[in-house]
Amino acid sequence: MKEKQYITRKEQAVLTKKKIFDTTIFLIRKKGYSKITIREICQNAEISVGTFYLYFLSKDDILLDLYSKVNQKLQDSAAIQNNDTPEKMLLFLVKAFWEQLEVSFEKELLSEIYRITLSQRKDMLLSEGQPFFQLLWEASGLFLKEKSIGGTAGPDQLAKSIAVKIQGYLFHWLVTEDISFSETREECLEDLRQFLTNLYITG
């Protein structure tokens, strides 16, 4: 007779949270973010509403959890590329960021993240507390050191300038119907290449 396997409360909690998360993402992609409710998520995940609130505060909380997983993937990618030149590393990070957004979010979900950003007055995409910004900051410092760029320029200022560029292009894509994601990404990367070149020349 096969011995019954038991799991700890901690393991059960991990499984329950994953089930809620996976169910929500499935429903979002099936019906759209705005058309699903927490009660519907709970019914499909076969949990109580009370259990849902033990793990997530809202639907928005799940969306932000998904974005944090994208950030983790960026960190993993950066670790593989850390032998590149600082300039190539900056370009790689920005390109990887766009690529992760493309495979992880539909346009509606990115729009919802912007809505959360505005309602909470906090930048969920490119804030200084996000791992992606920290990666930009580190690569920016190495770039400025390699190019011997001093003056008022610092890694914090450069990383913020790059983040603002990304935000601008991403917002433009979100509110424009006749431009593709790939076109926007390439425009952003070309702008960044030119920006870094000009910074080196004038620095």
Side-chain angles (χ1 to χ4, degrees):
M1 184 176 175
K2 208 171 184 178
E3 189 176 332
K4 187 175 181 180
Q5 291 186 333
Y6 292 92
I7 60 174
T8 65
R9 287 187 178 181
K10 186 176 181 180
E11 289 171 331
Q12 182 60 57
V14 170
L15 290 173
T16 301
K17 184 175 182 179
K18 184 178 185 305
K19 189 175 184 180
I20 296 170
F21 180 86
D22 291 345
T23 300
T24 305
I25 299 305
F26 170 77
L27 289 171
I28 287 173
R29 286 177 173 153
K30 182 180 179 182
K31 300 181 63 175
Y33 184 83
S34 62
K35 293 181 180 178
I36 63 170
T37 64
I38 289 175
R39 184 167 297 280
E40 186 177 7
I41 292 168
C42 294
Q43 288 174 345
N44 280 269
E46 299 179 328
I47 59 164
S48 68
V49 173
T51 298
F52 176 93
Y53 285 112
L54 287 174
Y55 298 94
F56 297 100
L57 299 174
S58 62
K59 285 195 306 178
D60 290 352
D61 201 27
I62 296 176
L63 198 54
L64 297 180
D65 195 48
L66 175 60
Y67 180 72
S68 71
K69 293 179 189 301
V70 171
N71 258 290
Q72 184 58 55
K73 290 178 182 178
L74 283 168
Q75 283 185 298
D76 296 341
S77 297
I80 297 171
Q81 291 290 128
N82 62 7
N83 61 339
D84 257 333
T85 65
E87 184 173 353
K88 286 183 178 179
M89 188 63 189
L90 280 170
L91 291 166
F92 169 81
L93 284 172
V94 174
K95 184 179 181 182
F97 177 79
W98 280 97
E99 289 174 347
Q100 284 296 333
L101 289 185
E102 186 172 23
V103 300
S104 303
F105 299 98
E106 287 81 8
K107 195 167 190 174
E108 180 196 7
L109 295 188
L110 281 173
S111 296
E112 291 294 341
I113 290 178
Y114 261 86
R115 176 188 58 75
I116 297 167
T117 294
L118 291 171
S119 65
Q120 297 188 6
R121 297 183 180 276
K122 187 165 69 172
D123 188 351
M124 300 297 180
L125 281 171
L126 296 167
S127 67
E128 295 179 36
Q130 292 287 353
F132 177 64
F133 186 88
Q134 293 301 314
L135 292 170
L136 279 182
W137 186 88
E138 291 169 13
S140 293
L142 292 173
F143 173 81
L144 294 172
K145 184 178 180 180
E146 181 189 67
K147 303 297 184 183
S148 300
I149 300 173
T152 57
D156 193 60
Q157 182 182 345
L158 179 54
K160 284 180 180 178
S161 295
I162 294 171
V164 167
K165 282 184 179 295
I166 298 171
Q167 285 278 37
Y169 278 98
L170 190 54
F171 182 76
H172 176 65
W173 173 73
L174 286 171
V175 299
T176 306
E177 293 293 332
D178 59 348
I179 184 170
S180 71
F181 189 90
S182 59
E183 286 176 315
T184 308
R185 179 192 64 219
E186 292 309 312
E187 285 180 14
C188 178
L189 288 169
E190 184 55 39
D191 189 5
L192 178 56
R193 288 188 193 96
Q194 192 61 50
F195 172 70
L196 294 175
T197 300
N198 291 341
L199 185 65
Y200 174 58
I201 293 171
T202 59

